[in-house]
Every structure is written in C-alpha cells, then in structure tokens.
Amino acid sequence: MYNDEKTGLIAKKLYGNADSYFGGCLLFLSSTVVILKCCNTDNNGSAAIYLYAPYCASISYLFIIFPITFMKAKAIAVLVFCLLTFIAHSQEQEICPGRIPHGWVIVSHRPCAGCCGGDGIVYKPTIKKIDTLPAGSSLEICPQRTPKGWVVISTRPCAGCCGGDGIINKPTIKRIDNLPTGTTLEVCEQSIPRGWVIVSTRPCAGCCGGDGIVNMLTIKKIDKLPAGTRIEICPQQNIPRGWVVLSTRPCAGCCGANGIVDMMTIKKL
C-alpha cells in the first residue's frame, strides 16, 4: 500500500506473473478519478497493477483485492470489476438532512443520536445519484417527488422505513425518458410524462398503495413516431402536440370507466 500525502492519493500494488499481462502500460482515467495502471516494470519479472483513488471513508474496502495471477483476460476482468465497484459505491452518499441535489434521490434513512448538530435523534438520509443511470433502470426510493423522466411502477408497504413512525409505501420508480419510441409500460396512476399517452387501464386490488381497487395505467411512448401514425387512446387526456383526433368509438367499461366512454383514435400530422 502506497500513501502519497502530497497528491492525496492512495495506491494498492498487486503482483502477478508478467506473462499474464499485456506489455507496456495501461492508463485509465474515469469520471470518478480512478486510475488503473498495469506495468511490467518490476525487476523480478512480476507485473505490478496500481489502483488510485481520492481519499474516502471506504478506501480500505475498495482495495481488499486478492493477488492476481490469472491469464490476461481474467486480469482485465478484475480491473473492470474493481472500477465498476468503485463507481457504484460512489453513487450513494449519507448526508445530513437538508436540500437534495438535482439528479439524486433519497433511498433510505438512518437514525442517529446527536448527529448533524441535533439534540436528539436525527434521521440521516442516504441519497443515490440517478441521472447517469441507463434507460429502463428501476429503483426503490423513499416517498418523495418523482424525478423528471421517471414514473412510479409500484409501491411496497414498509414498517418504519425512511424515518416513518408507522407503515409507509415505498415507491419503485423506472427511468423512461430515453426508452425507444413505441415502448409500452404499466404504471401507477400519476401525471403522464410528455410524449406518452394512456392506451388502456387495468383494475388492481391494493396496487400502488391503494386501499381498494385502483387503475393501473398502460402508457405508450409516441414521441418521434412518423407522420401518419394512428393510435387509439383513452379519453380524458390531453391530445399530444402535433396530433389530431380522427374518430371516437364507444366502449363499455374501458379505461377504468363505470359506463361507456369514447375511445379516441388520434393521428400524427
């Protein structure tokens, strides 16, 4: 273990057979300031792998790695795994109560006596960075405003979670802003993001934190569909910009209605 006080970096040196590694040096710099360096520079013919990272509380955890003596492919896989582990770990942070930065959500709380200047028990939130997660990612969070580009797809009752005294409903959210055009998805009742329409509903007992029967919504992404596209949608929603209503069709019990509703066929101009 090498500790450089001037640069504030910690290095972990791992040894393996030099023949198991590629020649020369590999330098990789990620957005989280992690450097992986593999050089065949040791006099004893061993390959030395250096991993650098800024000081952090979990540095000892990040570098508990066994000596590497695998073939080249396995050595590269270990390096990639170490990098991904560090990046994933860096996406969560426990903080004092207060304003949550844009692009982060609260995923849990931890009671702490006297923390953050409090006289009694303070619930410290753990926040997670979500704005870099890929399209289609799902995540269970504490009750809070749904981030832009995400929708609530389900909820789960949880006793004492997220600093609550009783039972709360923890929502599971899904990122939909970069999903392909034409994607359909079932979600809880909520405001539908721009570029999506409700095409049907399904009654569900106790779903999404409801006490009785709730309507699960099936939504479809219509953004960037070609001109001339036609689609039938539920009534009582805004007609998307650039679309017009061509016709309606009476339907008994459709879209969560107790009686007859007029399903709308819309067309993109």
Side-chain angles (χ1 to χ4, degrees), residues 97-246:
R99 184 176 177 272
I100 306 303
H102 177 74
W104 295 70
V105 293
I106 302 172
V107 294
S108 64
H109 287 80
R110 180 179 67 88
C112 184
C115 292
C116 300
D119 295 330
I121 300 294
V122 173
Y123 286 92
K124 298 190 68 177
T126 294
I127 60 175
K128 184 177 180 69
K129 186 176 178 66
I130 64 169
D131 60 358
T132 56
L133 292 176
S137 297
S138 297
L139 178 69
E140 186 178 69
I141 63 174
C142 290
Q144 61 200 280
R145 184 177 179 180
T146 304
K148 185 177 180 180
W150 295 70
V151 292
V152 179
I153 58 174
S154 65
T155 64
R156 177 180 66 89
C158 185
C161 293
C162 298
D165 295 329
I167 296 178
I168 64 165
N169 288 308
K170 295 194 70 176
T172 294
I173 60 175
K174 187 180 186 74
R175 185 167 193 176
I176 66 169
D177 53 354
N178 292 319
L179 288 176
T181 298
T183 298
T184 57
L185 182 69
E186 187 175 69
V187 301
C188 296
E189 284 190 290
Q190 61 201 283
S191 297
I192 304 304
R194 181 179 296 177
W196 294 73
V197 292
I198 304 169
V199 294
S200 65
T201 67
R202 177 180 66 88
C204 184
C207 292
C208 296
D211 295 328
I213 303 292
V214 300
N215 287 313
M216 299 292 294
L217 311 179
T218 296
I219 61 175
K220 184 181 182 72
K221 185 171 184 178
I222 63 170
D223 187 37
K224 297 181 180 179
L225 284 174
T229 300
R230 301 184 184 195
I231 184 173
E232 187 177 66
I233 65 173
C234 291
Q236 298 180 348
Q237 60 182 309
N238 294 328
I239 305 303
R241 183 180 300 175
W243 295 72
V244 293
V245 178
L246 289 183

Side-chain angles (χ1 to χ4, degrees), residues 7-192:
T7 62
L9 296 175
I10 289 180
K12 177 73 175 181
K13 187 175 182 180
L14 306 174
Y15 292 96
N17 190 310
D19 295 335
S20 300
Y21 300 98
F22 34 84
C25 297
L26 168 69
L27 183 65
F28 185 92
L29 177 63
S30 82
S31 60
T32 51
V33 199
V34 179
I35 304 174
L36 305 181
K37 186 177 182 182
C38 178
C39 299
N40 295 336
T41 57
D42 282 15
N43 294 331
N44 62 4
S46 295
I49 300 176
Y50 299 87
L51 297 94
Y52 302 89
Y55 282 128
C56 67
S58 58
I59 202 72
S60 60
Y61 164 76
L62 294 175
F63 297 121
I64 299 175
I65 306 171
F66 294 103
I68 302 175
T69 57
F70 307 111
M71 298 299 290
K72 181 191 299 185
K74 291 184 178 179
I76 296 174
V78 171
L79 291 178
V80 173
F81 173 78
C82 295
L83 176 62
L84 293 177
T85 300
F86 180 84
I87 293 174
H89 182 81
S90 67
Q91 304 302 297
E92 289 193 6
Q93 180 69 53
E94 186 180 74
I95 63 173
C96 289
R99 184 176 177 272
I100 306 303
H102 177 74
W104 295 70
V105 293
I106 302 172
V107 294
S108 64
H109 287 80
R110 180 179 67 88
C112 184
C115 292
C116 300
D119 295 330
I121 300 294
V122 173
Y123 286 92
K124 298 190 68 177
T126 294
I127 60 175
K128 184 177 180 69
K129 186 176 178 66
I130 64 169
D131 60 358
T132 56
L133 292 176
S137 297
S138 297
L139 178 69
E140 186 178 69
I141 63 174
C142 290
Q144 61 200 280
R145 184 177 179 180
T146 304
K148 185 177 180 180
W150 295 70
V151 292
V152 179
I153 58 174
S154 65
T155 64
R156 177 180 66 89
C158 185
C161 293
C162 298
D165 295 329
I167 296 178
I168 64 165
N169 288 308
K170 295 194 70 176
T172 294
I173 60 175
K174 187 180 186 74
R175 185 167 193 176
I176 66 169
D177 53 354
N178 292 319
L179 288 176
T181 298
T183 298
T184 57
L185 182 69
E186 187 175 69
V187 301
C188 296
E189 284 190 290
Q190 61 201 283
S191 297
I192 304 304

